[in-house]
Structures are given as structure tokens and as C-alpha cells.
Amino acid sequence: IGNLGMILDILRSKLYSNIKLAICREYSCNARDAHREAGKPELPVIITLPTWINPNWSCRDFGPGISPDRIANVFVRYGVSTKRDSNDQVGAFGIGAKSAFGYSATFTVNTFIDGVKRSYAAVMDDSKCGKFMLLSTTPTTEENGTEIVVPVKNQDFYEFVKETTNVTQHWPVKPVIRGGTIAYNEFPALLEGTNWKAVKTQNGSRGYKAIVDGIEYPVPPTLGSYLFSYGSETFLYFKTGEVSISANRELLELNEKTEKAIQQRIAVVEKELEQNFLDAVASATSFLEANVRLGQIAGTLGL
């Protein structure tokens, strides 16, 4: 590589169309992965929202912590990941841990391991390669884990609240929120089946959304015709590894694997929806009742 600093700058910032969303997504998902690695996936992570008193966005997990060896050989390196062979964890590219550099010239990493707290400063220098410096090593009574602290500009407080909400909206285990409150949308099912759910639309959108391990991605309409009209949209649920995600984690990577998985899931929706209609009609005791039941389902979905 001719200009290493330029390439790293692309990976840190120019890769993302929304750097605030990327920060909230990358670090909160890393924290959730740390809990899975430690064998406690039901334990919520802690996210602290920025305020005038504490103008930082931070995420604290209670996983194994980041050892000095992992700091040196994984965390600060691009393209190195401990999650590449796991379908239980989101990360795999070895890029997201450095995403805060796309927003701020500095951020802090505090890691707690077996009674020892190590605080690191990540600093962007003129080389654009960045430095990661150990600031202190102190005894602590805090539980093992890691805390990422990103300074936030005053005018961006609301954006970090909004993007934290967007990232964690579909998590079955919601984070503990400090420094403010988050109002999550409710998605009561109009109809649901095997790894899918039709819900009343929140913003006038329609069609399909892929929910990949709790993170929402739009599904291009070219992969399946809309079953429902403007009154509802359909969530298709996938585990990590069932579909491919783009390097910046903003979109699905539309390769053969992803397209096949989505088309198969949509086929399940169509089959189960058809059966739902047939069951409603078949259980009716008269032609009039059959029409009423059919109309009720159609009206619920906004058909």
C-alpha cells in the first residue's frame, strides 16, 4: 500500500454514510458479542447517552475484557477478528472497533480484567494511522468487561440518542440506558409465522425488512413482490451468517447466498399466509361468515 494513512482513513470514516449510526451499532454490538463470548447472552449491556454534564456516548459490557495481548494483536489491527468463524457474534471484518475515529480524533477504552483496570487513549495523529496508548493501570473492584467512551459534540446529542434507538430497537435483550431515556416503537404482530412477522407500518413504508440478529436492514423490492399494501410491512428474521452484510454493515450484501435466503423466507411467508386465509375460511360455518373472516384479515393487513 502506497499511502497507508489514506487507506486507513477510508476504512475509519469514508466507508460509512452515517458515522454516528456506525459508532452506536459497532460498539453496542461488540458489547453484546462480549456477553455471548462470556456465556451470559441474557445480560444487558449498559449504554450511557451524552448530556451537558457528561458529553460522552459510552457502552459498557461485562464480558471477558480486552487483554493486553488482544489489544495489541486484534483490537488495534485492521482486518483481524476473533469472530470470523462464529455465527453467534456480529463482527467479522476487524474494522468496526476503530469507527469512532471517523467522528472524533480521540476516544477512550477502559477494560477491566480480574481486578485490574487499564485505560487506553486512542488518538489520531498527523500520519492518519492513529496511536493507541496505555494511560494507566490501576486496581479495581469493578466486574470484568470493557467500556468504550466517545466524546460527542453538543449539537449531536439527539442524533446519538436516535441512532442508539435505531440500533437496539429489535434486540430481545434491550440495553440498560443511562443519562436519558429511549422510547422504543412497539411492533404488535398483525400476522406472524416461522421467522416472520407482519406489523402495522410506523412511517408509511411497506415491503420487507431483514432483521439480522436484531439489526434492521432494508430488503430491495427486486427480491420479492410486496404482499401487503401501505398499511403494513413484514419483518424477516435471520441469524448471523444466514445472510451476508456489507463491509460497512449498512446494507445487505446482495450475493447469491443472501438472495437465496431471502427468497426462501419470502416463500415461507407466502405459504403460511395462504394457509392462514384457508384456515379462516375453512373454519367458518357459512358462506357469510367465511367472507367476514376473510375481510377481517384483509383489513388488518391493509390489503
Side-chain angles (χ1 to χ4, degrees):
I1 296 176
N3 188 327
L4 182 61
M6 183 185 71
I7 298 301
L8 296 184
D9 186 50
I10 291 172
L11 294 175
R12 279 189 298 265
S13 56
K14 295 177 175 60
L15 189 68
Y16 304 106
S17 64
N18 184 340
I19 190 60
K20 303 177 191 71
L21 173 60
I23 289 170
C24 296
R25 179 182 61 243
E26 298 298 338
Y27 294 120
S28 61
C29 286
N30 282 352
R32 188 176 57 167
D33 285 346
H35 284 187
R36 293 170 176 174
E37 182 181 351
K40 39 189 174 185
E42 300 305 316
L43 183 66
V45 305
I46 297 176
I47 295 177
T48 302
L49 304 174
T51 65
W52 291 99
I53 297 175
N54 176 29
N56 298 293
W57 181 93
S58 67
C59 187
R60 169 74 155 96
D61 68 60
F62 300 93
I66 309 176
S67 67
D69 178 72
R70 186 178 281 196
I71 286 285
N73 295 303
V74 179
F75 190 89
V76 302
R77 294 180 179 271
Y78 283 84
V80 179
S81 174
T82 61
K83 309 174 187 179
R84 195 157 293 144
D85 298 323
S86 172
N87 282 340
D88 295 324
Q89 300 178 337
V90 174
F93 298 118
I95 296 173
K98 280 71 75 173
S99 58
F101 272 142
Y103 177 79
S104 173
T106 64
F107 65 98
T108 303
V109 177
N110 298 313
T111 187
F112 313 86
I113 302 177
D114 300 335
V116 178
K117 174 184 178 181
R118 295 178 178 86
S119 294
Y120 298 87
V123 181
M124 184 52 55
D125 55 9
D126 293 338
S127 71
K128 292 190 176 183
C129 291
K131 293 180 178 179
F132 202 72
M133 301 176 291
L134 177 63
L135 297 178
S136 63
T137 301
T138 57
T140 183
T141 58
E142 290 203 42
E143 294 182 57
N144 285 4
T146 300
E147 178 185 43
I148 307 293
V149 184
V150 181
V152 177
K153 302 178 183 72
N154 293 344
Q155 64 269 26
D156 293 335
F157 287 178
Y158 171 75
E159 291 296 315
F160 273 83
V161 174
K162 183 183 74 172
E163 302 306 354
T164 299
T165 307
N166 289 338
V167 168
T168 60
Q169 174 73 66
H170 298 282
W171 287 16
V173 179
K174 297 289 194 295
V176 172
I177 302 296
R178 294 179 177 172
T181 59
I182 280 181
Y184 290 111
N185 290 324
E186 298 294 333
F187 295 108
L190 301 176
L191 282 177
E192 58 186 326
T194 307
N195 294 315
W196 67 272
K197 179 168 70 171
V199 303
K200 185 176 178 61
T201 185
Q202 299 290 323
N203 52 13
S205 64
R206 63 170 181 164
Y208 298 102
K209 298 283 181 62
I211 312 300
V212 185
D213 195 15
I215 305 298
E216 181 178 310
Y217 297 96
V219 174
T222 53
L223 293 184
S225 60
Y226 295 140
L227 287 179
F228 313 136
S229 73
Y230 293 100
S232 59
E233 57 187 344
T234 308
F235 295 145
L236 308 176
Y237 295 94
F238 297 94
K239 297 178 181 178
T240 301
E242 289 187 304
V243 294
S244 301
I245 308 298
S246 64
N248 62 8
R249 302 200 176 282
E250 294 178 355
L251 298 169
L252 297 173
E253 181 183 346
L254 297 182
N255 54 22
E256 182 179 353
K257 171 185 175 181
T258 300
E259 293 183 359
K260 182 178 180 180
I262 290 176
Q263 289 168 348
Q264 288 178 340
R265 188 61 47 79
I266 290 176
V268 171
V269 176
E270 293 175 342
K271 179 180 179 180
E272 293 185 351
L273 181 65
E274 179 183 10
Q275 192 61 50
N276 193 296
F277 276 87
L278 291 174
D279 290 345
V281 171
S283 62
T285 58
S286 69
F287 180 69
L288 175 60
E289 184 182 349
N291 278 278
V292 169
R293 292 190 177 189
L294 200 63
Q296 287 173 338
I297 296 176
T300 299
L301 296 173
L303 290 168

